[in-house]
Amino acid sequence: MAATEVDVFANEEKRNLELGGHVGFDSLPDQLVSKSVAQGFCFNILCVGETGIGKSTLMNTLFNTTFENEEGSHYESEVHLRPQTYDLQESNVNLKLTIVHTVGFGDQINKEESYKPILEYIDAQFEKFLEEELKIKRSLYNYHDTRIHICLYFIAPTGHSLKSLDLVTMKKLDSKVNIIPVIAKADTVSKSELDKLKIKIMSELVSNGVQIYQFPTEDEAVAEINSSMNTHLPFAVVGSVEDVKVGNKMVKARLYPWGSVQVENENHCDFVKLREMLLRVNMEDLREQTHARHYELYRRCKLEEMGFKDTDPDSQSFSLQETYEAKRKEFLVELQRKEEEMRQMFVNKVKETEAELKEKEKELHERFEQLKRMHQDEKKNLEEKRRELEEEMNAFNRRKVAAETLMGQALQGCSQQPFKKDKDKKNFFSLPSACSLTSGRNLN
């Protein structure tokens, strides 16, 4: 019965009603405009290019202001990204602009890892937004969206084609961000060479499967201008913040000995085309493409990694709670397995350490016993030498006492005898010498 009623309502023709008077819902677009203006807008630009190619100068020229930016060095050991946020106001519209510079890009001898910090930064901004969406208490209304809306890839006009680094980097970035390639410092090449370079760059991008941003042509209001601008890609731009007097008016230009290059003259460069397409015509489409295409792709892949899916193989609806519980059990089993592996690894490590300590203890004990034996042998040798010295000292003392006693007796006998004849005197004087010799031999 319910299915029949649904079919009847589905086949019933829709009725058109004419209003009898003014209702007021035609002011809904005005309400959305007022709300958006009050909330403000954010726009994030990623500038990718080699140091000194003119990224900062082009940004200053693009927004007709001077942004604070440190001059880059050619001696960076690795690539790192430096975001800077500014609050701009034009008429009554507030814009929170974030410009991200790739410091050190292309300055290393080995350029294989140059694009990875850029990819990591873009994914990090997507991850922040996804975390905010998944919060229980989220505040997306006043959340500062840092997702990159446009990547201006600066190409150096120093060759006849793209560098391998340019192709690899743009190929890695095209699924994560809207890319608009620009030829920097276009005033360094002639007009004919510039046209050939544009054709060569687009041919290489197509042959290598690099998807750059194409201005949308679905909206009839901008279809014609966007279709025309798509044929001018990549834009050849020149940047300058200096006001130069040309004729009777002051314009942004670069002075050379042979003349001047006017930044806003479309016959000199494509700066005006870039500014119109980027800011005046397609800024909202860039924001929408970032959210609906690139962020949704990242979000889908991230949720699939977490185990979520829209339908099961039987095309039946699924329960979020059941998916969460299954993923939680799977995670706990994996955690328990890793815990057991870590415990077993710890036990094995402890056993190995104990075996090493026992071996070290055995070696130390053997070394101690060896030193102990050496000490006892040295002590025994010293005791023997001490006894020998004591015996020698005792023998020396005995000889010394005997010699002193003999000398004393000799001297005493000589002093008691009377003076005799010369012969006796001669014997008397020779007696001490004999005594001295005897005493000397005893001493020795």
Side-chain angles (χ1 to χ4, degrees), residues 4-200:
T4 304
E5 291 178 355
V6 171
D7 294 338
V8 170
F9 285 116
N11 296 327
E12 185 179 358
E13 295 182 358
K14 295 181 179 179
R15 296 177 296 169
N16 294 325
L17 298 177
E18 295 183 0
L19 299 178
H22 182 262
V23 177
F25 60 79
D26 59 348
S27 65
L28 182 59
D30 298 331
Q31 297 176 31
L32 293 176
V33 170
S34 300
K35 183 178 179 180
S36 299
V37 170
Q39 182 180 358
F41 302 90
C42 65
F43 193 61
N44 307 317
I45 302 176
L46 172 64
C47 298
V48 181
E50 300 175 359
T51 305
I53 203 172
K55 301 186 294 295
S56 300
T57 303
L58 184 64
M59 290 297 102
N60 293 339
T61 311
L62 198 61
F63 291 94
N64 196 24
T65 185
T66 301
F67 298 112
E68 297 178 359
N69 187 31
E70 298 179 4
E71 185 175 353
S73 171
H74 289 277
Y75 303 101
E76 298 289 341
S77 59
E78 59 183 4
V79 179
H80 63 275
L81 281 78
R82 184 172 59 202
Q84 293 176 314
T85 303
Y86 309 93
D87 292 321
L88 305 180
Q89 184 176 11
E90 187 175 13
S91 298
N92 63 335
V93 178
N94 295 319
L95 177 67
K96 187 180 289 293
L97 175 68
T98 299
I99 300 175
V100 184
H101 291 280
T102 53
V103 181
F105 179 80
D107 291 339
Q108 295 77 31
I109 297 177
N110 185 2
K111 300 179 176 61
E112 292 182 357
E113 307 295 327
S114 296
Y115 64 88
K116 288 188 177 180
I118 304 175
L119 296 177
E120 292 173 357
Y121 179 85
I122 296 174
D123 288 341
Q125 311 318 307
F126 285 156
E127 183 70 22
K128 289 180 181 178
F129 193 86
L130 180 60
E131 289 177 357
E132 186 65 26
E133 275 192 334
L134 296 178
K135 284 183 179 179
I136 297 177
K137 295 182 179 181
R138 59 183 184 178
S139 57
L140 295 177
Y141 176 79
N142 57 356
Y143 174 75
H144 179 205
D145 188 5
T146 58
R147 294 174 297 177
I148 300 298
H149 298 123
I150 181 63
C151 169
L152 293 179
Y153 195 95
F154 289 73
I155 301 172
T158 55
H160 300 287
S161 62
L162 290 171
K163 300 178 181 178
S164 58
L165 176 63
D166 299 331
L167 287 172
V168 171
T169 303
M170 283 193 279
K171 183 62 178 177
K172 295 291 184 180
L173 293 178
D174 62 358
S175 62
K176 296 181 178 295
V177 67
N178 303 312
I179 302 176
I180 295 182
V182 295
I183 302 175
K185 297 183 177 182
D187 53 338
T188 59
V189 293
S190 64
K191 188 73 173 178
S192 60
E193 290 178 346
L194 193 59
D195 294 336
K196 294 179 181 178
L197 181 59
K198 283 187 175 184
I199 297 173
K200 183 65 174 178

